[in-house]
Amino acid sequence: MDVRKRNRVSVTGRKDGPVVVLAHGFGCDQNLWRLVVPELEKHFRVVLFDHVGAGGSDVSAWSPERYSTLDGYVQDVIELCQELGLGPVTFVGHSVSSMIGVLAVVQEPGLFDKLVLLTPSPSYIDDGDYRGGFSEQDIDELLDSLDSNYLGWSATVAPVIMGNPDRPELGEELTNSFCRMDPEIARVFARVTFLSDNRADLSKVSVPTLVAESARDTLAPREVGAFVHRQISGSELVTLDSTGHCPQLSAPQETAEAIIAFVQGS
């Protein structure tokens, strides 16, 4: 399998700069990074890709067996980094891709120089003292609704995830992105996203890590960002003055500046 074709890999920016790999979240593709890429390209070599089943990826490479857990996506990231051979990279993972990045770093730490977790959540389900933001019943109902009417679910849920009701064009963009995804693939990826529990993996991260949370995020409340920060030894926590789960769209300048400052820091 040609990894570059499978994941529609694009490499731009400064050839002599540090390498930054941008990984999108559920229901999205690399296009959602477009507002931060121009700033990042001034400083870094920027790698964009689509997870299998999203955007312009090779959908024929998707199978429920490989992608029924995060492990399939983790192996894709490792293969991508090995194929490009660009040396240790900074991996920037948005939402579920933040945990894909965590698992990839744990498996192959030598491939990674730094890790940026943008609006991460290791588990969306409340558990004892841990507040993930949702009860098990909440998640079950969310997934049942997705199963019964994916397009209707997308139109309802995407604007809530995006936030910023005063900027409806942002919610509309995320809705359209969700709706472009094959419903069968979306159902499997949604379960992986909302039912995975990677809290125990955080303490295994051994590279410098930035946790970048939104100040107002219904999907990953600030208690989650604080938890991730506590669990990853030596990590940095920055709270972006942004609303919603996709600050690369709602606050692109601040998101880009946080990534640049962290990558360029010692």
Side-chain angles (χ1 to χ4, degrees):
M1 172 62 68
D2 182 341
V3 172
R4 293 172 185 258
K5 177 185 176 186
R6 180 188 68 190
N7 293 102
R8 195 178 61 136
V9 177
S10 169
V11 183
T12 65
R14 290 181 49 175
K15 291 187 177 180
D16 61 342
V19 180
V20 172
V21 177
L22 303 177
H24 64 83
F26 168 82
C28 305
D29 59 27
Q30 61 185 264
N31 186 56
L32 262 70
W33 292 108
R34 70 186 184 281
L35 299 181
V36 302
V37 166
E39 286 300 313
L40 299 182
E41 285 177 333
K42 297 175 185 177
H43 307 275
F44 311 126
R45 197 166 193 183
V46 179
V47 177
L48 292 159
F49 73 98
D50 293 336
H51 286 304
V52 171
S57 66
D58 183 354
V59 180
S60 69
W62 186 85
S63 71
E65 293 77 23
R66 181 174 176 88
Y67 296 104
S68 61
T69 70
L70 290 181
D71 290 341
Y73 298 99
V74 171
Q75 294 311 310
D76 286 356
V77 166
I78 290 171
E79 291 168 9
L80 186 154
C81 291
Q82 291 172 334
E83 169 69 19
L84 293 177
L86 297 175
V89 306
T90 294
F91 183 89
V92 181
H94 171 233
S95 192
V96 65
S97 279
S98 62
M99 292 304 111
I100 292 170
V102 164
L103 294 172
V105 165
V106 171
Q107 284 194 32
E108 294 288 348
L111 293 174
F112 302 94
D113 184 39
K114 294 183 177 182
L115 183 61
V116 177
L117 309 178
L118 184 63
T119 62
S121 178
S123 176
Y124 288 99
I125 298 175
D126 298 338
D127 180 25
D129 293 336
Y130 173 79
R131 181 173 177 245
F134 300 87
S135 68
E136 285 190 47
Q137 183 177 349
D138 291 335
I139 296 297
D140 287 343
E141 290 175 354
L142 181 149
L143 295 173
D144 286 345
S145 175
L146 184 154
D147 286 344
S148 62
N149 181 1
Y150 178 62
L151 295 181
W153 178 88
S154 298
T156 301
V157 172
V160 175
I161 292 173
M162 178 58 71
N164 296 277
D166 57 326
R167 300 164 68 188
E169 69 279 5
L170 296 180
E172 183 177 341
E173 176 171 348
L174 191 61
T175 298
N176 291 337
S177 179
F178 278 21
C179 291
R180 285 193 297 270
M181 196 170 190
D182 180 281
E184 179 187 357
I185 294 173
R187 290 183 186 105
V188 175
F189 198 13
R191 277 173 164 72
V192 173
T193 298
F194 291 108
L195 296 178
S196 292
D197 185 349
N198 298 106
R199 287 176 292 172
D201 298 299
L202 298 174
S203 63
K204 304 172 188 174
V205 172
S206 57
V207 302
T209 300
L210 173 68
V211 180
E213 63 179 4
S214 272
R216 299 161 293 277
D217 185 350
T218 58
L219 205 58
R222 291 185 61 183
E223 292 92 335
V224 174
F227 177 85
V228 174
H229 171 49
R230 289 196 304 271
Q231 296 300 308
I232 299 179
S233 178
S235 65
E236 299 178 27
L237 174 65
V238 61
T239 303
L240 304 171
D241 185 18
S242 57
T243 297
H245 197 58
C246 303
Q248 69 269 53
L249 280 182
S250 61
Q253 186 65 34
E254 189 175 1
T255 301
E257 289 172 356
I259 294 171
I260 292 166
F262 177 68
V263 178
Q264 292 184 333
S266 57

